[in-house]
Structure formats: structure tokens, C-alpha cells
């Protein structure tokens, strides 16, 4: 019997048709009573849909989705995350006042503490366990930060760097770590939201949200037929922020011949999504200076970011390559456990010493960011603080402007493998340990 194989064009078309259908179903599903109740207790609908995608994926129990579709979906986390960052600052007034300086500084220090600590614990696990018993490549000491902080986008980009340095399995292992991080962030983070509400850690605790908080039930978006122009403008604004980010990245890359090989290597592998946050800031700043902020709908910007976050989680979970996870389960398990223990320790213990107020929402967002990239952090914040009663979102957003270009696929992520090659894994681990300790001491000293 002749078996007809789907062509590449067919797979691309099917992948994007299913993506649009997913977006429509998510938009509708998040407004249904069961989904609202789930999110009220801290379980995101994206997690439920992602688990269904995992079951229906090519390696799931009911492999309905074709391999060609999920292969295309594996390329989506980076552009989706770029759109999330492109919307992050457009819909809200830019924070003003000196009162944000200390919270942003504390938030940035916690983020840096988490990131460099991942290099520390990753190096220790590789040095004292994985190299003696598994004979792994020393560059595996980078994988917690690349997979957890950077996610699928950073893992895919860093794969080329790993390959040039002789770590051929780096890309696949990085993607596997990103998958574990995304799953762990969403599942464990949701459990932390439930626990936080039961313990009374968060500002919102067990309060119930009215169903009117959804997009189609808010007064300024109900009559979309009469507000088509506003909707089109609000869809274009994140595109403008992303366009600025792409332009800036190309400009930085064009300067490579003047600044040497290390500069070229950094900006060749540097992802676009950190610069999308800067683009979002500049678009908002321009709108405020021109007094045109009335054209912005906070609701639409929020919904674009929420939808992209949910789609990122669902497509990544549906694309999980279980054979890779099974084949390298020992190093992936060891590094994942080390990373999770470190992230949870920082969130549940160190953050209380660093933050004066709103420690739960702020540290939960940072846990999500450090385990399953910024989209997961924003998802968890949405669950913990659905009414934006805290300053966690603006503080986290401003902090990202300073930390995102360094970690999560930024300059430090790119330089870390080079540091291991030049100083050895032990040397790089010691450097990371000293930096981690210094950031913790500074965070304690500036606590007010």
C-alpha cells in the first residue's frame, strides 16, 4: 500500500492552522467557568492544554500530531517570547519616582543570584558526579542556565556555539533541559501558588476573581467591530517594538569587524527577545512624550502577551522529545534536580532576606523566570496576582531591562562556555561561586 508522506509545505500549513486554532480555543477556553476556577486556585489552563498536547504529540500515548508539525513548533518559543517582551511595557504607564530604585535593584540582584548560582551548582554536579561517573563534557556545566533561564530559544541558539567548541550534544541536551525547566516551572510554580494562598503568603490569598476580568467582557473591548482601528494599532505596536529590536541587533552585529572575535561571537548568538523589551520601553516612552497613550489598550496588550505565553507553553510541551530525555536521563535528572533545589531555596528562603514587601509574588515571578524563562514567570505572576495588586510586574519588567541582556541567552550565557574553555570548569565554577556570594551580600546590605 502506498503511504503518502506529508510535504514540508503541508507540515508548515498544518502547524500554523493548528496554532491559530489553539489560539482561538485558548481565548475561548480561558473564559469558561472550569478554566476560571482552575486559574483561581493556581492551575493555568495552558498547563492542562500542554499536557493534552504532550499526550497527542508524536512521542505521547496517543500520537496524533505529525512529527513535521511539532518540529516546526520547536522553533516557536523564541519568536513567541519576543512578542511577550514586545508587549510588556507598552500597555502600562512607565513607573516614575525614586521609590522603585531599591525594589528594582533588589529584584535584579535576586535574578543575578539565581543565574550565577545555576552555574555554581551546575559546575559542582558536573565536576563531582557527572564527569567521574558519566564522563560527560565539562561544558555541560552551562546547561542549567542555558535550559532553565534561557529556555528553548537560548538552547537552540547556543547549540551552534557548543558545536564549535566540540560539545556536539549540547543543543539537544539544552533543549531537553529547557523542556524539563518549562514543565517544572509550570507544574511546581502552580503548586507554589496554591500553597502560597493556603499559607497566606501572597497579597491576594484566597480572594475570588469575578468572571468579568476576561478580555471579551471588559467595556473597552466588547464592541470590537467599532474599535477595529484601535485593535489594529494595538497589534502593530508590539510589532514596532520587535522591529526596533531586530534593527538594533543587526546594527550591533554589523559592528563585529571593528571589535574582534569575542564581540562577534556574543552578538552572533545573542537572541532578539531581550532587545524587544527595550523596544517596548521606547515605544511606550514615545507615546507618553507625544501624549498619544489613549490609543493603547492595556487589555489588548495584556491579552497578546498572555496568549503568546500560553502558546509557548503548549507548543513546547507538545514537542517534547521523549527519546532524548530517556537516552540522557542521568545527566538531565542530576542537573534538573540541582537547578530546581537551588531555585526553590532562593525563592523560599533567600528572597525573604532580600525583599521587604511582596516577597512571594516577586520571588515567584523570579522562580518562573529562572526555571522556565520569563514567560513562565509572567504566567505564575498572573496566577498569584491576577488583579495586579502588587508592584511585582513593573519591578520585574524594569529589572529585565538590566538583567535580560546578561543572562537568559544574553552576554553571560554566550561567554560562559568560552570561560570554561579558558579557565577550566573548576575555575569557572569558582568564579561563579564568588559572584553569587557577592550578589547575596550586596542584596542583604541594600535591604531597607
Amino acid at each position: 500500500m502506498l503511504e503518502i508522506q506529508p510535504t514540508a509545505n503541508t507540515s508548515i500549513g498544518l502547524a500554523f492552522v493548528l496554532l491559530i486554532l489553539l489560539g482561538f480555543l485558548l481565548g475561548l477556553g480561558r473564559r469558561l467557568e472550569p478554566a476560571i476556577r482552575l486559574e483561581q486556585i493556581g492551575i493555568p489552563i495552558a498547563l492542562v492544554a500542554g499536557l493534552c498536547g504532550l499526550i497527542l504529540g508524536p512521542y505521547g500515548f496517543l500520537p496524533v500530531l505529525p512529527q513535521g508539525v511539532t518540529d516546526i513548533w520547536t522553533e516557536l518559543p523564541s519568536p513567541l517570547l519576543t512578542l511577550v517582551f514586545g508587549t510588556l511595557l507598552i500597555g502600562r504607564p512607565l513607573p516614575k519616582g525614586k521609590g522603585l530604585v531599591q525594589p528594582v535593584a533588589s529584584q535584579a540582584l535576586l535574578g543575578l543570584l539565581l543565574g550565577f548560582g545555576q552555574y555554581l551548582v551546575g559546575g559542582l554536579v558536573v565536576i563531582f558526579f557527572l564527569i567521574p561517573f558519566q564522563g560527560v563534557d565539562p561544558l555541560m556545566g552551562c546547561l542549567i542556565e542555558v535550559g532553565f533561564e534561557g529556555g528553548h530559544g537560548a538552547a537552540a541558539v547556543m547549540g551552534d556555539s557548543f558545536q564549535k567548541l566540540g560539545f556536539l550534544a549540547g543543543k539537544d541536551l539544552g533543549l531537553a533541559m529547557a523542556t524539563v525547566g518549562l514543565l517544572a516551572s509550570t507544574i511546581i510554580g502552580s503548586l507554589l501558588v496554591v500553597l502560597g494562598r493556603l499559607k497566606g503568603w501572597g497579597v491576594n490569598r484566597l480572594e475570588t476573581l469575578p468572571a468579568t476580568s476576561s478580555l471579551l467582557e471588559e467595556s473597552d473591548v466588547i464592541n470590537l467591530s467599532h474599535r477595529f482601528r484601535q485593535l489594529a494599532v494595538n497589534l502593530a505596536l508590539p510589532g514596532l517594538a520587535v522591529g526596533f529590536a531586530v534593527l538594533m541587533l543587526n546594527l550591533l552585529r554589523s559592528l563585529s569587524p571593528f571589535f574582534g572575535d569575542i564581540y562577534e561571537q556574543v552578538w552572533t548568538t545573542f537572541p532578539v527577545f531581550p532587545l524587544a523589551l527595550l523596544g517596548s520601553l521606547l515605544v511606550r516612552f514615545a507615546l507618553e512624550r507625544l501624549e498619544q497613550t489613549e490609543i493603547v489598550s492595556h487589555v489588548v496588550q495584556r491579552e497578546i502577551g498572555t496568549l503568546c505565553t500560553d502558546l509557548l507553553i503548549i507548543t513546547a510541551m507538545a514537542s517534547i522529545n521523549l527519546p532524548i530525555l530517556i537516552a540522557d536521563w542521568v545527566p538531565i535528572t542530576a542537573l534538573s534536580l540541582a537547578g530546581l533545589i537551588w531555585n526553590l531555596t532562593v525563592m523560599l528562603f533567600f528572597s525573604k532576606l532580600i525583599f521587604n514587601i511582596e516577597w512571594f509574588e516577586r520571588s515567584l515571578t523570579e522562580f518562573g523566570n529562572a526555571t522556565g524563562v520569563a514567560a513562565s514567570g509572567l504566567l505564575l505572576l498572573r496566577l498569584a496576582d491576577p488583579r495586579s495588586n502588587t508592584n511585582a510586574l513593573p519591578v520585574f519588567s524594569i529589572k529585565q531591562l538590566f538583567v535580560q541582556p546578561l543572562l537568559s541567552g544574553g552576554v553571560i550565557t554566550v561567554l560562559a562556555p568560552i570561560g570554561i574553555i579558558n579557565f577550566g570548569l573548576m575555575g569557572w565554577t569558582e568564579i561563579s561561586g564568588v559572584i553569587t556570594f557577592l550578589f547575596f551580600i550586596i542584596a542583604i546590605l541594600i535591604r531597607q
Side-chain angles (χ1 to χ4, degrees):
M1 181 177 181
L2 180 62
E3 183 178 355
I4 300 176
Q5 296 293 335
T7 65
N9 289 335
T10 302
S11 296
I12 293 173
L14 181 59
F16 283 98
V17 167
L18 290 175
L19 193 68
I20 294 171
L21 180 61
L22 270 175
F24 174 77
L25 292 177
L26 277 172
L28 179 64
R30 279 195 290 110
R31 288 148 185 81
L32 298 178
E33 186 68 20
I36 293 173
R37 295 300 176 192
L38 281 175
E39 294 216 349
Q40 284 174 351
I41 64 173
I43 301 175
I45 188 64
L47 174 60
V48 179
L51 290 173
C52 293
L54 177 60
I55 294 172
L56 299 175
Y59 303 106
F61 298 109
L62 298 172
V64 175
L65 288 173
Q67 178 77 48
V69 170
T70 56
D71 285 345
I72 294 169
W73 282 0
T74 58
E75 305 296 326
L76 293 179
S78 184
L80 287 172
L81 188 57
T82 301
L83 275 175
V84 171
F85 281 144
T87 64
L88 207 52
L89 297 177
I90 292 177
R92 293 175 173 271
L94 294 179
K96 298 178 177 64
K98 296 180 179 179
L100 281 174
V101 174
Q102 194 275 337
V104 170
S106 297
Q107 193 81 25
L109 286 167
L110 185 71
L112 292 168
L113 175 68
L114 280 162
F116 279 96
Q118 289 177 354
Y119 286 119
L120 171 63
V121 298
L124 293 174
V125 169
V126 173
I127 290 170
F128 294 107
F129 176 66
L130 292 179
I131 289 180
F133 296 101
Q134 295 287 311
V136 302
D137 192 301
L139 290 176
M140 196 173 282
C142 299
L143 287 184
I144 297 179
E145 199 278 336
V146 169
F148 277 22
E149 284 262 3
H152 291 82
V157 171
M158 287 299 296
D160 294 334
S161 295
F162 286 140
Q163 190 168 19
K164 291 177 182 177
L165 295 172
F167 185 25
L168 301 181
K171 180 177 180 179
D172 289 335
L173 289 172
L175 290 172
M177 284 293 298
T179 299
V180 173
L182 187 61
L183 283 170
S185 173
T186 308
I187 296 173
I188 296 177
S190 299
L191 294 176
L192 287 171
V193 173
V194 176
L195 180 63
R197 288 181 176 173
L198 293 176
K199 293 285 188 178
W201 289 340
V203 170
N204 292 284
R205 300 185 182 179
L206 290 173
E207 68 177 34
T208 302
L209 286 178
T212 56
S213 62
S214 62
L215 170 66
L216 294 180
E217 295 171 351
E218 296 202 23
S219 60
D220 62 337
V221 189
I222 291 178
N223 299 317
L224 287 180
S225 60
H226 301 294
R227 297 182 178 270
F228 178 78
R229 181 178 177 183
Q230 183 191 33
L231 180 62
V233 168
N234 278 271
L235 290 173
L237 289 174
L240 183 61
V242 173
F244 170 83
V246 172
L247 182 63
M248 178 62 69
L249 184 57
N250 287 330
L251 177 61
L252 291 168
R253 287 175 176 173
S254 69
L255 298 176
S256 297
F258 303 101
F259 293 100
D261 293 338
I262 294 181
Y263 179 93
E264 182 178 6
Q265 187 169 0
V266 168
W267 291 108
T268 299
T269 55
F270 195 84
V272 71
F273 56 81
L275 297 175
L277 184 62
L278 179 59
S280 178
L281 171 67
L282 292 177
V283 170
R284 180 70 200 191
F285 178 77
L287 290 172
E288 291 188 1
R289 290 299 300 268
L290 296 172
E291 298 182 351
Q292 296 294 318
T293 55
E294 70 277 0
I295 69 173
V296 180
S297 169
H298 164 63
V299 178
V300 175
Q301 296 301 321
R302 184 194 69 197
E303 288 294 318
I304 294 172
T306 299
L307 180 60
C308 290
T309 301
D310 291 345
L311 288 175
L312 188 156
I313 291 171
I314 294 169
T315 54
M317 291 178 67
S319 307
I320 291 177
N321 193 325
L322 293 177
I324 291 178
L325 292 177
I326 294 171
D328 295 293
W329 72 272
V330 173
I332 291 173
T333 302
L335 291 171
S336 297
L337 287 175
L340 282 172
I341 291 171
W342 170 251
N343 290 353
L344 286 170
T345 300
V346 172
M347 178 195 164
L348 296 175
F349 298 102
F350 291 171
S351 66
K352 294 181 182 180
L353 302 175
I354 296 174
F355 295 150
N356 277 323
I357 58 174
E358 301 170 355
W359 75 269
F360 179 69
E361 289 85 359
R362 292 172 63 187
S363 63
L364 179 71
T365 309
E366 214 59 57
F367 169 82
N369 180 57
T371 311
V373 304
S376 294
L378 295 172
L379 171 69
L380 296 179
L381 178 59
R382 189 180 82 211
L383 296 175
D385 186 20
R387 287 182 173 177
S388 296
N389 291 331
T390 70
N391 283 322
L393 181 60
V395 169
F396 177 77
S397 301
I398 298 172
K399 160 258 173 184
Q400 289 294 92
L401 289 171
F402 302 101
V403 177
Q404 188 71 51
L406 297 176
L407 298 167
S408 307
V411 175
I412 300 300
T413 304
V414 175
L415 290 178
I418 302 173
I420 292 175
I421 295 296
N422 291 328
F423 303 110
L425 180 57
M426 180 62 77
W428 175 253
T429 303
E430 291 172 350
I431 292 171
S432 299
V434 171
I435 294 174
T436 301
F437 178 75
L438 287 176
F439 281 140
F440 179 66
I441 295 300
I442 295 171
I444 294 295
L445 291 177
I446 70 169
R447 185 177 191 268
Q448 297 176 353

